[in-house]
Amino acid sequence: MKNIAILCSGGDVSGMNAALKRFVEYTLAKGLRPYFVYNGFEGLIDNEIVEAGYGDVSGIITRGGTKIRSARSQRFHEKHYRQKAIENLLSHHIHAVVVLGGDGSFKGMKRLSEESDIAFSGIPATIDNDIAGTEYALGVDTALNVIKYAIDAVRDTAASFSRAFVIETMGRECGYLALVSALTSGAEMCLIPELPYDLEHYKRRFLREKEEGRTYFIAVVSEALDNTEMIRQWFETEIGMEARTTILGHIQRGGNPTVHDRMMAFHFVTQAIDGLLGGKKESVVCYRDGGFDYLPIDDVAFRTYRLPESLLRLGKEFNTLSRV
Ligand code: ATP
């Protein structure tokens, strides 16, 4: 194995550029020749495969997103396009590929691995933190910090203007971002798909707090519930407080990567390359119990992520908190 490539697939996250920097520096240190695949699987099909060097990664560590761009590819679901992707990789004598992405990307990677002798190593990268087998996916810490700044700022205005704010976070079907953000920003309400909640309980508590002098509330709700506007109206009709919504949207995906994401990018890439050099044909680098591990793609891409029990317990406590 001499030539090795890296690509980003699915939603981009902050920390991908740090991963690219480590990829180039570590592969060169190991005597390998690094290649970038631009535009994810689309770029594999279209042969956007370019040798990379130190100059390509200078000054990118501070930037969110990914210098080599990411993409979703409808064509990649079709075998003849995947065959084209394999031919393109082999035309550059590339026999190993690192893929940064989510479970969809790993499913695509699995297909390519079954249809060729090329080795693949996946690195979990999604702000949703919803990938089975790993406690951490690249980009999550930066997203949490973006949300933290946003909620802190909203709190300033909510407190000054006696309003309730309903803040909607991303995460698709997973409530991780909403729950961690609610806990760490001191929100009064947190609604996520993994936990049942009782609006009557919240109502009793909030009315009592209002009587005691509370002038604002912060609610964090997961986009999965699709009830942000309904909760805003609930604050107005049931709690009797003017309410606004803030939908954070894609700002959660960007921004200057945190120190944690930069370090995790370095570790993930190092593990991925070491795994490939050690002969792993298809695996995903997972972070759990404070260390890194390799899981077969099947155990990651085709399993459902569950929030850790310890976090769910905190969420249950939060949802049933009662001062009444
Ligand atoms: P995110 O968390 O941002 O959604 P993801 O990797 O899960 O990241 P997807 O859009 O699900 O994002 O998948 C990325 C790409 O992987 C798809 O556009 C497609 O090209 C490829 N892919 C997904 N599933 C398959 C599959 N079953 N077979 C072949 N390719 C697939």
Side-chain angles (χ1 to χ4, degrees):
M1 181 181 108
K2 179 77 179 162
N3 296 357
I4 178 167
I6 191 166
L7 64 85
C8 301
S9 173
D12 58 281
V13 302
S14 287
M16 281 179 163
N17 278 327
L20 298 179
K21 179 178 165 63
R22 177 62 180 164
F23 174 78
V24 167
E25 291 174 353
Y26 194 53
T27 49
L28 290 173
K30 289 279 179 185
L32 306 170
R33 196 176 293 132
Y35 284 78
F36 284 164
V37 180
Y38 287 81
N39 287 318
F41 292 142
E42 283 284 286
L44 273 188
I45 296 168
D46 295 332
N47 203 8
E48 294 180 77
I49 303 171
V50 181
E51 190 175 343
Y54 292 118
D56 295 305
V57 292
S58 73
I60 66 171
I61 199 167
T62 58
R63 295 192 343 234
T66 161
K67 179 177 175 152
I68 61 173
R69 298 188 295 277
S70 190
R72 300 187 203 278
S73 171
Q74 206 43 48
R75 290 187 293 166
F76 205 73
H77 287 272
E78 295 175 42
K79 187 165 180 181
H80 66 280
Y81 284 116
R82 293 199 300 274
Q83 217 47 53
K84 184 84 190 105
I86 291 166
E87 281 166 20
N88 289 336
L89 283 169
L90 294 178
S91 74
H92 294 275
H93 308 288
I94 293 168
H95 294 275
V97 182
V98 175
V99 175
L100 289 132
D103 53 358
S105 303
F106 300 153
K107 284 178 190 156
M109 193 172 93
K110 170 84 182 172
R111 288 258 174 100
L112 271 200
S113 139
E114 285 164 354
E115 293 163 3
S116 72
D117 285 330
I118 299 167
F120 290 89
S121 185
I123 294 179
T126 168
I127 66 164
D128 303 337
N129 212 25
D130 61 350
I131 301 180
T134 187
E135 289 164 19
Y136 192 76
L138 198 62
V140 171
D141 190 58
T142 304
L144 286 171
N145 276 283
V146 168
I147 299 169
K148 181 197 77 168
Y149 285 119
I151 298 181
D152 288 354
V154 164
R155 178 183 292 278
D156 291 343
T157 171
S160 308
F161 220 78
S162 303
R163 275 176 175 160
F165 272 85
V166 186
I167 299 169
E168 181 185 296
T169 61
M170 278 184 161
R172 278 202 281 208
E173 297 308 309
C174 177
Y176 184 89
L177 286 183
L179 179 52
V180 173
S181 300
L183 291 170
T184 55
S185 64
E188 282 70 46
M189 177 188 242
C190 174
L191 307 182
I192 60 170
E194 291 88 344
L195 287 175
Y197 58 88
D198 176 2
L199 285 181
E200 280 307 308
H201 172 83
Y202 269 118
K203 182 175 171 181
R204 284 194 298 277
R205 190 182 125 203
F206 288 176
L207 289 177
R208 168 65 66 90
E209 290 185 7
K210 235 179 104 187
E211 259 174 47
E212 289 171 359
R214 180 161 195 99
T215 56
Y216 70 94
F217 294 98
I218 302 282
V220 181
V221 304
S222 164
E223 67 175 351
L225 293 171
D226 197 20
N227 65 359
T228 307
E229 175 55 21
M230 187 276 274
I231 296 297
R232 186 195 70 76
Q233 287 174 19
W234 177 86
F235 270 107
E236 299 212 330
T237 56
E238 304 299 316
I239 309 301
M241 187 176 284
E242 200 181 335
R244 294 284 184 276
T245 58
T246 300
I247 296 172
L248 296 180
H250 284 78
I251 65 162
Q252 294 162 95
R253 283 243 297 258
N256 179 268
T258 58
V259 169
H260 187 63
D261 269 325
R262 296 179 198 194
M263 282 310 297
M264 289 303 277
F266 275 43
H267 288 310
F268 272 127
V269 169
T270 307
Q271 296 291 328
I273 293 168
D274 285 349
L276 291 167
L277 286 172
K280 292 201 181 299
K281 172 89 171 43
E282 54 98 348
S283 65
V284 177
V285 181
C286 291
Y287 178 79
R288 41 207 204 146
D289 300 327
F292 292 88
D293 204 357
Y294 301 95
L295 286 185
I297 298 172
D298 282 347
D299 290 354
V300 176
F302 298 93
R303 298 250 165 99
T304 307
Y305 174 83
R306 273 185 54 76
L307 287 179
E309 272 310 314
S310 55
L311 197 54
L312 281 172
R313 264 198 306 279
L314 286 173
K316 271 180 208 147
E317 258 175 52
F318 185 95
N319 258 345
T320 52
L321 191 72
S322 175
R323 297 180 56 238
V324 183

